[in-house]
Amino acid sequence: MTDLRARALAALADQTIELPSWAFGNSGTRFKVFGQPGVARDPFEKLEDAAQVHRYTGVAPRVSLHIPWDRVDDYAKLAAHAADLGVQIGAINSNLFQDDEYRLGSLTSADKAVRDRAIAHHAECVDVMRATGSTDLKLWLPDGTNYAGQDDLRARQDRLADSLQQVYALLDPGHRLLIEYKFYEPYFYAMDIPDWGTSLVHCLALGEQAQVVLDTGHHAPGTNIEFIVMQLLRVGRLGAFDFNSRYYGDDDLIVGSADPFQLFRIMNEIVEAGALTGAGVNFMLDQCHNIEPKIPGQIRSVMNVQEATAKALLVDRDALHAAQTSGDVLAAHGALTDAFSTDVRPLLAELRESRGLDADPYGAYARSGNQERIAGERVGGRQAGWGA
Ligand code: RM4
Ligand code: MN
């Protein structure tokens, strides 16, 4: 157990979690976007907020951008600002869901001019990558149809394959194209990349630089997500996670809040495959904090991922594998539930203190006065939000 604990501490010290810039802007549902005092007004302030999360957790050194929401005149200046704050720019997310032209599809559109426009948007994103040092282009395809017969499903796949090839051709060596799937929304009859299989089929056709993104909120209820994680790792195509929690749809709630055991089972597959670090899996958050404060919400999220990871690292794998081999169902299951039931907060407190951090990032941030400072300073201007 002592060995396991020491190995867990070492692995946790190497773990990093990427933050989404949009978590620091106002968000809501289609019913209401709630404004909060002190919310960032531009990408520079979003980076400042993300840097606060890194400052107190020590494991969140990268920030994903979303284009056009984080469009600025000078991306080199934005990257330099990030560096000054001790963070760096992570994945660049494209946006194919907020233009009138995309009503019937973007990369899948029957209209070549619309497809070209969607491809050109990715050229802009690749330029942002070059200017900011980002290596991941993340593409979530919001295309789909609402009615049977509305469009030819197969023709849409063919157009998608062709468009993706053109996007892929834009990449530099060392860049990756991360393709995210989602089973429903904004269309409800057939999404064009509804599942990991479709995403994988396109990645395999594209080449080694294309990888699948698994957003934990993008599956039908009851889906065994850890199975998908295992399979994508097995074939070397799990490029990234978008972590969040859901009760119903793509709820984008704080990761680990709805089903901590599911998060643990996912992290268990990661640890089992030795993919926590060095395997090219970018662990990112994709969440919105509609009613809770943003920076503490992100701190809590990072801590939840760390806790699930710590528990997965504490699984006695020798005992687990022995029980699996001998067919001892209850002992095998028990190896997992024992680890899941462990209170890992003291272990994580030790990790933080060994790195000169407060044992309690959430409390330390609350005591820092930053929340009051930004609420007082960030007056005037327009707060960031979806569509900003
Ligand atoms: C989408 C998808 C993407 C994210 C946007 C904001 O639903 O999950 O990953 O970039 O939302
Ligand atoms: Mn996502």
Side-chain angles (χ1 to χ4, degrees):
M1 184 64 198
T2 335
D3 262 15
L4 209 53
R5 205 171 179 281
R7 280 206 301 273
L9 271 175
L12 288 164
D14 286 343
Q15 184 178 34
T16 61
I17 298 154
E18 183 164 320
L19 310 179
S21 69
W22 52 99
F24 302 101
N26 284 324
S27 60
T29 63
R30 66 183 188 277
F31 300 102
K32 172 70 180 164
V33 171
F34 295 105
Q36 293 184 20
V39 159
R41 293 164 298 178
D42 58 37
F44 290 86
E45 290 184 349
K46 289 185 199 172
L47 289 177
E48 285 158 30
D49 292 353
Q52 288 286 321
V53 178
H54 183 47
R55 176 170 176 185
Y56 291 98
T57 62
V59 293
R62 295 183 309 282
V63 190
S64 302
L65 298 186
H66 195 114
I67 307 296
W69 301 342
D70 296 316
R71 213 174 248 158
V72 292
D73 292 337
D74 186 345
Y75 287 101
K77 191 172 155 200
L78 189 67
H81 185 61
D84 285 346
L85 294 162
V87 294
Q88 68 188 70
I89 306 298
I92 303 301
N93 289 247
S94 62
N95 182 321
L96 297 171
F97 53 91
Q98 284 182 316
D99 280 12
D100 286 337
E101 287 82 351
Y102 297 153
R103 184 171 60 94
L104 299 178
S106 60
L107 295 174
T108 64
S109 173
D111 182 341
K112 183 173 182 304
V114 174
R115 295 201 302 277
D116 287 348
R117 179 190 167 90
I119 293 161
H121 170 56
H122 289 87
E124 178 193 354
C125 291
V126 171
D127 283 342
V128 174
M129 291 166 72
R130 291 183 185 127
T132 57
S134 163
T135 54
D136 286 350
L137 173 62
K138 184 154 149 264
L139 188 161
W140 169 57
L141 186 79
D143 294 12
T145 48
N146 270 352
Y147 298 100
Q150 178 189 325
D151 198 1
D152 182 324
L153 295 178
R154 180 165 171 164
R156 291 178 75 88
Q157 285 300 304
D158 293 342
R159 295 193 292 260
L160 173 60
D162 180 71
S163 297
L164 284 175
Q165 242 170 47
Q166 294 185 57
V167 171
Y168 190 79
L170 297 167
L171 300 179
D172 291 340
H175 282 177
R176 305 193 301 172
L177 175 63
L178 303 177
I179 302 180
E180 182 174 352
Y181 60 92
K182 181 174 174 180
F183 80 116
Y184 84 110
E185 196 185 50
Y187 299 97
F188 301 99
Y189 166 62
M191 291 296 285
D192 293 309
I193 307 186
D195 50 35
W196 67 276
T198 305
S199 184
L200 181 62
V201 161
H202 285 289
C203 286
L204 292 172
L206 289 170
E208 293 285 320
Q209 286 166 264
Q211 300 264 318
V212 179
V213 183
L214 187 157
D215 184 314
T216 48
H218 288 191
H219 306 84
T223 300
N224 183 330
I225 295 175
E226 60 270 26
F227 177 87
I228 301 170
V229 171
M230 172 281 297
Q231 191 70 288
L232 289 173
L233 285 171
R234 189 174 159 266
V235 296
R237 291 287 177 156
L238 181 61
F241 275 99
D242 269 4
F243 279 124
N244 49 55
S245 275
R246 56 81 60 77
Y247 288 100
Y248 298 100
D250 185 21
D251 303 349
D252 283 341
L253 298 175
I254 287 178
V255 56
S257 61
D259 188 349
F261 189 50
Q262 180 189 59
L263 182 59
F264 162 79
R265 297 193 309 264
I266 290 170
M267 296 316 301
N268 177 56
E269 290 303 328
I270 294 282
V271 172
E272 182 69 45
L276 198 55
T277 47
V281 184
N282 189 357
F283 297 91
M284 310 188 280
L285 303 180
D286 178 11
Q287 299 180 175
C288 292
H289 302 291
N290 300 350
I291 55 170
E292 65 276 26
K294 324 266 172 203
I295 299 171
Q298 287 286 282
I299 291 176
R300 176 59 66 202
S301 307
V302 168
M303 293 171 71
N304 285 356
V305 174
Q306 284 186 296
E307 285 179 21
T309 307
K311 291 178 181 198
L313 288 163
L314 290 180
V315 170
D316 183 341
R317 292 205 182 263
D318 293 340
L320 174 67
H321 298 150
Q324 288 172 342
T325 310
S326 66
D328 190 338
V329 176
L330 293 179
H333 181 58
L336 292 196
T337 53
D338 278 352
F340 178 67
S341 303
T342 310
D343 182 358
V344 293
R345 288 172 299 181
L347 182 76
L348 288 164
E350 188 181 324
L351 172 78
R352 291 175 187 128
E353 281 174 341
S354 75
R355 307 171 102 192
L357 298 170
D358 195 293
D360 170 20
Y362 186 82
Y365 176 73
R367 288 188 298 276
S368 74
N370 186 68
Q371 202 65 32
E372 296 74 15
R373 182 183 65 78
I374 56 177
E377 282 177 14
R378 293 177 181 171
V379 284
R382 204 166 126 253
Q383 293 185 321
W386 276 47

